[in-house]
Every structure is written in structure tokens, then in C-alpha cells.
Amino acid sequence: IADDPTAGVTPWCPILLDVGSLRTLTFAKECIERCSGEHPDCRSCLPTSPSTLPTRLIDCRDVNRPRLVTTTPGANGKYVALSYVWGGPQDKHHTTENNMAAYHDGIDATTLPQTIRDAIYVTHALGIDSLWLDSLCIIQDSAKDKHREMASMRHIYRNAYLTIIAASASSVTEGFLHMRPPPAPIISSLPVICPPAESTGGPLKQEAGTRTSLHLVGTLHLTALTERDPDEPIDKRAWCLQELVMSPRALIFTSERLLYRCQTTTVNVGGTPHSTFLEVPRLPLSILAVDRLVSAHARDSAHLSWWDVVMEYNPRTLSFPTDKLVACAGLADEYQAVLGSKYLAGLWRDSLLCDLLWCVPCGASNSRPQQYRAPSWSWASLDGSISCHSLLKSLSEGVREVATVVECTVTVEDEQVPLGPVTDGRLVLRAPLIRCRPRRDGLGDSHLKLLTADEAPSCHHWEPPITHLIADPGRLFVSFDTKADPRLDRMWAVPILEDCDGWIHYLVVALDDTGTTRRLAAESEDGRPVYRRIGGCSTGPRAWGWYDMYLELERSEIVIV
């Protein structure tokens, strides 16, 4: 409050509700300039010369009549990219073979949906001439053009001077420059003793020939600061994650405020407080830096970062569920350049045993798609939340392997897209195979019991030799991939490795009966049974010594698809 004594002695920042005003966008330009001058990490991600321009751009110099421009191959320059949610077909306002020539002459801005009009206005207000957005800069009825341009999308966002994130709009028709709601209500007020009035230029008290400074009491008003902004429509879309994390800097128009995000920080434009807790993770500099320095440390960091990305990506939705591996193929390509490892439907060959131990968080309601998308041992076979195991953070700290990988292969749908969709996958592990079941002692489906020799039924002729334990190692904390999995009658635990804290981690598998014949005993070509992953489990340090026992137990070659 302007006339409160605290106004002159406490830092304050304007609360910007009109995010499309020239005043607000001037503050945004100051954020960009400050980032360019003060953030070394951000400077390392920016090219020293103007970026190569995309094939087509929208000329925004006349906001009322923008036009489509086809750039000269190899031309350099500055442009803004737009990330937004379509929210449905864009039949009336996208570029086609038939209207491209007319769009080169100019586009009546009133015929464009509001989100695109807002993006053209912001680009122009920031003093930049060109804007890239997919519906206008890709020929939507040309399969060849779509294939070529979509393969380059990560580079388009990576090389953009700035990305506009229309986070608040659930449809292209909504726009994102509406007035934001007022600040959160005051939850408490505190009296504050302000510095002497003399130091602030305020009144003085004359007393017995002396001049005495007056201490004034002001009021400090407190509002709640949330740990994370509300989920926005764009946070639910899988394709939009790549567009955000590949952008070195972005203006994010959320439903409550305007944020500036770079590789160093995320701030409210205008400077009001903003919590960065639980925000979308940034890619490591080994991925985004112009001059990549690949070291062992960089590879470890990139591996952990990959799983941060996967955890953010997998719960997001796709218009076509079969695009699960397509929409992250560009990111996988960037990570592969640093990791130098074979990519296996979302996992990496050099860290495969650890990667297999992803799990489903407690309480998550995951499902499997109706159409085949990935092998069961890949997170891409599920829709919903997944978690990366904490042991990934200790890859170089005493992990001991129980299982060994005999073979792991995937068949890609299109050889031209080696990191894209797959038609099948096969994993062969050499490890003990232990019968188990959910415990029936009041613990529900959250714990498994490994069956001992007296408890395990005899083997069928089509089963490999099954390890029978001498004693029960105790409760195994299990995470099933879907809620239907605990109801299976027959399941097995496959010990994979022991981490540095003494926890042993397992895959839980069942016979693969998902084929068209739904045979009780699914068999591979060589007659071995075929299994599918249904979850993961672990047992704590109280099972110390079991690692050595597992090494002595009979091992089987276990085929998991």
C-alpha cells in the first residue's frame, strides 16, 4: 500500500495482471536482456551467430496482415517459436498446398484463431519480425513435408531466440493474453517497525532543542505462496514437453501469471516471488550447450536427466496413443549423442539392468493401451505415472548385479526412424526365477511372498527349473504396473541387482498370455516359456546375505516380451 511506511523500506514489484500490455512485455524484454548478460549457462546454450532459419516463417511486421515466408535454404536470423495446444482439428486455418500461395501474399489476421493472433502480437511487441508455428509453417496436407519438418522440430525450438508457451489455453481458439486474476487474498498482517523517519526522509520530532528521529510502525501483508503453479492444459500434452525443454528460454503465459524460464532460473515477469519447486526439469548443459563436452560425469548426469524427462513425459496424453515413442524420439536422439548407448524402446543398453527397475508410484492408476506399443519391460507400454528407482542415483556406488543380460532387441517400425515406434521387443535374462504371490496376511497387494521349496508347486513340463528358496527373506514391497496384475494366479520374481544400501530389486513377471491364442504356456520359438513384466519389488537390508545365495542358485534364461 503506497501510503504505508513499509512501502519506502521494503522491496516491492509490480503485480502484472495485463500480461499483454506493452508495460508487461517491456519487463519481459528486460528479463531476456538480463539473462543474456548475467547467466553464463544460458550464454553457453546460445549460438554465437544467428541461427539457421526454419523452412517457413510468419512475417509479423504487420500484425493485421501477417504473411507466410519461405526462407532461403541456409539463411540465418532471429525468430520466435510458439508452443500451444491445438484442442481439435485446424481445418480452417492451416497451410495447405492449395492456399500456400495466397498465404505468401498475406493472411487476414481476423480469420486466425486467437492463440495465433496473440502470438503474432507478442512477437511484434518484442521487436522480432518472425514467428514459427506448426499449423502455418508446415504444409498440413503434405505427408512428405510433415515428415521432414516434424523431424526438425526439436532443432526449431532449440534454435529459436525465444519460445512463447501458451500454457493456459486448452484450445487454439482461446488465446492467452486475457487479464489474470488478482493476487491471492491476504491471510495475515504483521506490524513492522520501520527505520527512523530521518533515514527515509520522513518527519522529525523537535524536543527540548533536540531533533529526534521517529520510528514508524507499518503493516506487512502476507499471502500464500504455492509450491507449484496449477497444472495447465499444455502440461497434459506429450508433444509439448519437447518444445519446452528444448527451448533455451521461454515466456510462459500461465493462467495466473507470466513467467520467464531460462537455463538458470524461472521468474515472474515483473519480479514478484515465484516458487520453482517441482517445475518441469531442465535438460543438462551436455544436451543443450552449443559446444558439448561429453565426459563420464556428463553421461551420468544425462542418464539421470533422461529419467526425469520420462517421469514428466509418461503421464501426458497423446491424440494417437501409438505416438508414445514418436513424440519423444527427438529427445532420445539428443540424449543418445551424449550417452553413446543403444536405445531400446525408452531404455539404454549400457544401463539396462538399472533401467529395467522403473516402477509405478503408489496409488497410480495406470493402464496398458489396447494396441501394442512397446515391450512390457519398457515404461512406454503403460499410460500413466512412473518413477525412476533411487538406485539410479548410485550407479557407481557399489551396485552388484544378480541377473545378466543375454539378449535385448527391438524391431523398429520404420528404419528411417530408428528411435521411433517398435513392433516388438525381446529381453533374455539369465537369473534365478522364483515363484511368488501377494501376501495374504492383511498387508494387501503391496507385499509379495517368495515361495519356499515346501510352498511352491511342482513344475509343469513346459516350465524351466524354478528356484525354490530355503527360507522366506521377509516382506517384499511390490509395485504392480496395473491394478489388474495382483489378481494373476501365477507370478515369479526375478532378482536383478543389489544396491549400495543392501536392497535387492526384482522384476515381477507372469506368463505372456496376451497373444491371440492366449495359451496358458506361451512359448518362444525354441520352446522356452515367454513372460511379460507385471511389476517390480524390492526387499530391504534385513535380507543381507541373500545376494550371495542368489549367485549360488540355479539360473534360467528368462524370455520377457
Side-chain angles (χ1 to χ4, degrees):
I1 301 175
D3 59 355
D4 191 285
T6 57
V9 296
T10 57
W12 67 278
C13 300
I15 299 174
L16 304 173
L17 305 182
D18 186 358
V19 295
S21 69
L22 291 177
R23 178 172 180 249
T24 297
L25 296 177
T26 298
F27 278 118
K29 291 171 69 174
E30 291 174 358
C31 288
I32 298 171
E33 293 168 359
R34 188 160 51 249
C35 170
S36 299
E38 300 177 5
H39 297 166
D41 285 350
C42 296
R43 287 198 298 271
S44 71
C45 298
L46 299 175
T48 55
S49 58
S51 301
T52 302
L53 295 177
T55 305
R56 300 175 197 88
L57 290 166
I58 299 298
D59 184 342
C60 301
R61 287 177 292 182
D62 183 348
V63 296
N64 295 315
R65 192 168 179 79
R67 65 188 186 92
L68 182 66
V69 175
T70 299
T71 62
T72 303
N76 297 327
K78 182 187 295 186
Y79 64 94
V80 170
L82 173 65
S83 176
Y84 66 110
V85 176
W86 279 30
Q90 309 299 302
D91 297 336
K92 297 181 180 179
H93 34 69
H94 65 208
T95 297
T96 65
E97 297 277 12
N98 290 333
N99 66 18
M100 186 164 61
Y103 278 11
H104 276 105
D105 293 334
I107 307 170
D108 181 358
T110 61
T111 66
L112 296 174
Q114 193 60 50
T115 291
I116 295 177
R117 293 169 64 183
D118 287 351
I120 291 171
Y121 164 79
V122 171
T123 301
H124 178 78
L126 292 174
I128 302 171
D129 294 339
S130 301
L131 170 69
W132 186 93
L133 64 142
D134 54 3
S135 64
L136 293 180
C137 296
I138 299 176
I139 304 174
Q140 297 296 320
D141 60 353
S142 169
K144 180 179 179 180
D145 193 69
K146 289 175 71 173
H147 185 273
R148 181 182 64 247
E149 294 301 308
M150 290 180 70
S152 301
M153 280 181 63
R154 73 182 188 274
H155 301 300
I156 291 172
Y157 286 93
R158 170 66 185 82
N159 294 329
Y161 174 76
L162 177 76
T163 297
I164 296 171
I165 310 285
S168 62
S170 60
S171 168
V172 70
T173 61
E174 292 183 9
F176 56 87
L177 295 182
H178 54 277
M179 291 290 292
R180 270 29 183 190
I186 294 172
I187 60 174
S188 183
S189 298
L190 300 175
V192 177
I193 299 177
C194 299
E198 183 176 11
S199 66
T200 61
L204 301 177
K205 180 179 179 182
Q206 195 78 24
E207 190 174 291
T210 63
R211 301 171 76 244
T212 305
S213 300
L214 292 178
H215 286 268
L216 301 179
V217 177
T219 304
L220 189 65
H221 302 286
L222 305 179
T223 61
L225 179 62
T226 57
E227 291 184 341
R228 181 174 183 175
D229 291 327
D231 286 338
E232 305 289 351
I234 208 165
D235 296 329
K236 302 173 184 177
R237 300 297 296 167
W239 281 102
C240 295
L241 178 62
Q242 173 182 256
E243 297 165 7
L244 172 62
V245 298
M246 286 301 297
S247 300
R249 48 194 181 190
L251 280 180
I252 307 175
F253 290 81
T254 75
S255 57
E256 295 184 352
R257 55 182 62 85
L258 174 58
L259 302 176
Y260 174 73
R261 170 183 163 119
C262 61
Q263 296 310 300
T264 301
T265 188
T266 301
V267 297
N268 269 323
V269 172
T272 53
H274 171 68
S275 172
T276 58
F277 183 64
L278 294 180
E279 70 171 333
V280 175
R282 289 171 174 79
L283 303 190
L285 291 180
S286 59
I287 301 290
L288 280 183
V290 174
D291 297 319
R292 289 177 173 172
L293 297 176
V294 180
S295 61
H297 175 74
R299 284 189 287 271
D300 287 345
S301 175
H303 183 242
L304 293 176
S305 170
W306 169 254
W307 283 99
D308 287 337
V309 169
V310 168
M311 288 189 288
E312 180 69 35
Y313 173 78
N314 209 51
R316 296 183 175 220
T317 59
L318 291 154
S319 299
F320 303 98
T322 52
D323 282 350
K324 176 74 80 170
L325 289 171
V326 180
C328 66
L331 282 173
D333 192 35
E334 296 290 334
Y335 276 89
Q336 189 177 52
V338 175
L339 294 173
S341 180
K342 185 177 182 180
Y343 183 69
L344 298 164
L347 282 60
W348 302 98
R349 181 60 181 88
D350 290 350
S351 53
L352 186 57
L353 288 180
C354 281
D355 286 3
L356 288 169
L357 297 174
W358 56 267
C359 61
V360 173
C362 180
S365 297
N366 289 7
S367 62
R368 295 186 178 91
Q370 293 183 347
Q371 186 175 351
Y372 181 88
R373 191 171 62 199
S376 66
W377 40 265
S378 166
W379 52 265
S381 65
L382 292 182
D383 289 320
S385 298
I386 67 136
S387 177
C388 126
H389 210 287
S390 59
L391 66 89
L392 290 174
K393 296 178 171 54
S394 58
L395 286 175
S396 58
E397 299 178 10
V399 170
R400 299 196 294 178
E401 298 177 354
V402 178
T404 56
V405 179
V406 177
E407 172 192 346
C408 188
T409 59
V410 294
T411 303
V412 295
E413 184 177 276
D414 183 352
E415 293 292 342
Q416 301 300 315
V417 189
L419 307 186
V422 300
T423 57
D424 63 58
R426 172 186 169 96
L427 169 67
V428 181
L429 297 176
R430 180 177 292 278
L433 186 65
I434 306 168
R435 280 293 303 274
C436 60
R437 65 166 181 251
R439 296 186 72 102
R440 308 301 183 190
D441 51 8
L443 294 172
D445 294 332
S446 62
H447 296 80
L448 281 184
K449 177 179 177 61
L450 301 184
L451 302 186
T452 65
D454 293 334
E455 297 169 314
S458 59
C459 299
H460 293 273
H461 72 278
W462 42 262
E463 289 182 345
I466 297 176
T467 297
H468 292 167
L469 300 179
I470 304 303
D472 183 357
R475 290 183 290 176
L476 276 77
F477 304 94
V478 63
S479 167
F480 286 107
D481 292 344
T482 72
K483 292 188 180 300
D485 292 328
R487 296 194 290 270
L488 294 172
D489 293 331
R490 303 170 66 80
M491 59 184 69
W492 292 260
V494 182
I496 301 298
L497 51 77
E498 180 188 64
D499 68 22
C500 60
D501 295 321
W503 285 73
I504 295 180
H505 304 276
Y506 308 72
L507 290 185
V508 181
V509 299
L511 286 167
D512 179 43
D513 57 0
T514 58
T516 56
T517 60
R518 302 188 68 84
R519 294 170 297 171
L520 175 63
E523 295 183 358
S524 61
E525 293 179 358
D526 55 10
R528 288 179 294 181
V530 175
Y531 299 87
R532 63 183 176 90
R533 174 194 157 118
I534 61 170
C537 64
S538 56
T539 187
R542 62 173 299 203
W544 269 336
W546 284 82
Y547 170 82
D548 295 326
M549 184 203 71
Y550 284 145
L551 293 183
E552 298 175 0
L553 292 178
E554 184 174 4
R555 297 181 172 208
S556 307
E557 287 198 357
I558 306 163
V559 181
I560 308 174
V561 297

